Short mmCIF file of all heavy atoms in Angstrom, two decimals:
data_model
loop_
_atom_site.label_atom_id
_atom_site.label_comp_id
_atom_site.label_asym_id
_atom_site.label_seq_id
_atom_site.Cartn_x
_atom_site.Cartn_y
_atom_site.Cartn_z
N THR A 19 -14.41 -34.61 42.49
CA THR A 19 -15.56 -34.43 43.39
C THR A 19 -15.11 -33.90 44.75
O THR A 19 -15.76 -33.01 45.32
CB THR A 19 -16.30 -35.77 43.57
OG1 THR A 19 -16.76 -36.22 42.29
CG2 THR A 19 -17.49 -35.62 44.50
N LEU A 21 -12.54 -32.05 45.34
CA LEU A 21 -12.10 -30.65 45.17
C LEU A 21 -13.27 -29.70 44.96
O LEU A 21 -13.28 -28.58 45.48
CB LEU A 21 -11.16 -30.54 43.97
CG LEU A 21 -9.70 -30.93 44.18
CD1 LEU A 21 -8.98 -30.98 42.83
CD2 LEU A 21 -8.99 -29.94 45.10
N HIS A 62 -9.71 -45.19 30.71
CA HIS A 62 -9.66 -46.52 30.11
C HIS A 62 -9.11 -46.41 28.69
O HIS A 62 -9.41 -45.48 27.95
CB HIS A 62 -11.05 -47.15 30.10
CG HIS A 62 -11.03 -48.63 29.88
ND1 HIS A 62 -10.80 -49.20 28.65
CD2 HIS A 62 -11.21 -49.66 30.75
CE1 HIS A 62 -10.84 -50.52 28.76
NE2 HIS A 62 -11.10 -50.83 30.02
N GLY A 108 1.23 -28.10 35.12
CA GLY A 108 0.39 -29.14 35.68
C GLY A 108 0.69 -29.39 37.14
O GLY A 108 1.58 -28.77 37.75
N THR A 195 -14.02 -25.45 25.41
CA THR A 195 -13.07 -24.64 26.18
C THR A 195 -12.61 -23.48 25.32
O THR A 195 -12.00 -23.69 24.27
CB THR A 195 -11.87 -25.48 26.63
OG1 THR A 195 -12.32 -26.55 27.46
CG2 THR A 195 -10.87 -24.63 27.39
N GLU A 227 -23.30 -12.36 29.67
CA GLU A 227 -23.37 -11.61 28.42
C GLU A 227 -22.11 -11.79 27.59
O GLU A 227 -22.13 -11.68 26.37
CB GLU A 227 -23.60 -10.12 28.70
CG GLU A 227 -25.03 -9.75 29.00
CD GLU A 227 -25.97 -10.04 27.84
OE1 GLU A 227 -25.65 -9.62 26.71
OE2 GLU A 227 -26.99 -10.71 28.05
N ALA A 263 -6.78 -28.59 3.84
CA ALA A 263 -6.69 -30.05 3.82
C ALA A 263 -5.25 -30.50 3.62
O ALA A 263 -5.00 -31.71 3.48
CB ALA A 263 -7.59 -30.62 2.72
N GLY A 285 -7.51 -29.66 19.27
CA GLY A 285 -8.73 -29.34 19.99
C GLY A 285 -9.50 -30.61 20.26
O GLY A 285 -8.95 -31.58 20.78
N THR A 288 -10.72 -34.82 15.30
CA THR A 288 -9.97 -36.02 14.93
C THR A 288 -10.14 -36.24 13.43
O THR A 288 -11.27 -36.40 12.96
CB THR A 288 -10.49 -37.25 15.69
OG1 THR A 288 -10.40 -37.02 17.09
CG2 THR A 288 -9.68 -38.49 15.33
N VAL A 289 -9.02 -36.23 12.69
CA VAL A 289 -9.09 -36.37 11.22
C VAL A 289 -7.96 -37.28 10.76
O VAL A 289 -6.81 -37.12 11.19
CB VAL A 289 -8.97 -34.99 10.53
CG1 VAL A 289 -8.87 -35.16 9.03
CG2 VAL A 289 -10.16 -34.11 10.87
N ARG A 292 -2.97 -38.67 5.36
CA ARG A 292 -1.88 -39.37 4.69
C ARG A 292 -0.59 -38.60 4.95
O ARG A 292 -0.59 -37.36 4.97
CB ARG A 292 -2.16 -39.49 3.19
CG ARG A 292 -3.34 -40.41 2.88
CD ARG A 292 -3.38 -40.77 1.41
NE ARG A 292 -2.18 -41.50 0.99
CZ ARG A 292 -1.98 -42.80 1.18
NH1 ARG A 292 -2.89 -43.53 1.80
NH2 ARG A 292 -0.88 -43.37 0.74
N LEU A 340 5.27 -29.56 -4.84
CA LEU A 340 6.63 -30.08 -4.90
C LEU A 340 6.75 -30.89 -6.19
O LEU A 340 6.39 -32.06 -6.25
CB LEU A 340 6.92 -30.97 -3.68
CG LEU A 340 6.72 -30.29 -2.32
CD1 LEU A 340 6.91 -31.30 -1.20
CD2 LEU A 340 7.66 -29.11 -2.16
N ALA A 398 7.56 -3.93 -3.77
CA ALA A 398 6.86 -2.82 -4.41
C ALA A 398 7.85 -1.90 -5.12
O ALA A 398 7.62 -1.48 -6.27
CB ALA A 398 6.05 -2.04 -3.38
N VAL A 408 8.27 -0.64 -19.14
CA VAL A 408 7.09 -1.23 -19.77
C VAL A 408 6.30 -0.15 -20.50
O VAL A 408 5.85 -0.33 -21.64
CB VAL A 408 6.21 -1.93 -18.72
CG1 VAL A 408 4.93 -2.48 -19.37
CG2 VAL A 408 6.98 -3.07 -18.04
N ARG A 416 3.11 1.68 -29.83
CA ARG A 416 1.81 2.31 -30.08
C ARG A 416 1.91 3.79 -29.74
O ARG A 416 1.38 4.25 -28.73
CB ARG A 416 0.73 1.64 -29.24
CG ARG A 416 0.57 0.14 -29.52
CD ARG A 416 -0.32 -0.51 -28.49
NE ARG A 416 -0.49 -1.92 -28.74
CZ ARG A 416 0.37 -2.85 -28.37
NH1 ARG A 416 1.51 -2.51 -27.75
NH2 ARG A 416 0.14 -4.12 -28.63
N LEU A 433 1.55 -9.93 -12.09
CA LEU A 433 0.78 -9.62 -10.89
C LEU A 433 -0.53 -10.41 -10.89
O LEU A 433 -1.11 -10.66 -11.94
CB LEU A 433 0.47 -8.12 -10.83
CG LEU A 433 1.67 -7.18 -10.79
CD1 LEU A 433 1.20 -5.74 -10.88
CD2 LEU A 433 2.48 -7.41 -9.52
N ASP A 435 -3.42 -9.37 -9.85
CA ASP A 435 -4.59 -8.50 -9.95
C ASP A 435 -4.16 -7.15 -10.52
O ASP A 435 -3.16 -6.57 -10.07
CB ASP A 435 -5.21 -8.30 -8.56
CG ASP A 435 -6.58 -7.65 -8.61
OD1 ASP A 435 -6.86 -6.90 -9.56
OD2 ASP A 435 -7.38 -7.88 -7.68
N VAL A 469 -2.57 18.91 -34.63
CA VAL A 469 -3.59 19.28 -33.64
C VAL A 469 -3.48 20.75 -33.29
O VAL A 469 -4.49 21.47 -33.16
CB VAL A 469 -3.47 18.39 -32.38
CG1 VAL A 469 -4.36 18.92 -31.26
CG2 VAL A 469 -3.82 16.95 -32.71
N ALA A 502 -5.66 12.29 -29.99
CA ALA A 502 -5.80 13.67 -29.54
C ALA A 502 -6.96 13.83 -28.56
O ALA A 502 -6.88 14.58 -27.59
CB ALA A 502 -5.99 14.59 -30.74
N ARG A 527 -22.96 29.75 -23.31
CA ARG A 527 -23.01 31.21 -23.27
C ARG A 527 -23.71 31.77 -24.52
O ARG A 527 -24.49 32.74 -24.44
CB ARG A 527 -21.60 31.78 -23.18
CG ARG A 527 -20.95 31.60 -21.81
CD ARG A 527 -19.80 32.58 -21.62
NE ARG A 527 -18.80 32.44 -22.67
CZ ARG A 527 -17.73 31.66 -22.57
NH1 ARG A 527 -17.54 30.93 -21.46
NH2 ARG A 527 -16.85 31.59 -23.55
N GLY A 546 -22.95 30.37 -35.15
CA GLY A 546 -22.30 30.76 -36.40
C GLY A 546 -21.66 29.59 -37.11
O GLY A 546 -20.52 29.69 -37.57
N TRP A 558 -25.42 16.55 -28.53
CA TRP A 558 -24.36 16.33 -27.51
C TRP A 558 -24.67 17.11 -26.24
O TRP A 558 -24.50 16.61 -25.13
CB TRP A 558 -23.03 16.77 -28.14
CG TRP A 558 -21.80 16.53 -27.30
CD1 TRP A 558 -21.21 15.34 -27.04
CD2 TRP A 558 -21.02 17.52 -26.63
NE1 TRP A 558 -20.08 15.51 -26.27
CE2 TRP A 558 -19.94 16.84 -26.00
CE3 TRP A 558 -21.10 18.91 -26.52
CZ2 TRP A 558 -18.98 17.51 -25.25
CZ3 TRP A 558 -20.14 19.57 -25.78
CH2 TRP A 558 -19.09 18.89 -25.15
#
Side-chain angles (χ1 to χ4, degrees):
T19 300
L21 279 170
H62 197 284
T195 299
E227 280 298 310
T288 302
V289 173
R292 293 194 61 81
L340 303 175
V408 177
R416 300 169 180 83
L433 300 174
D435 191 334
V469 170
R527 287 200 303 267
W558 184 73

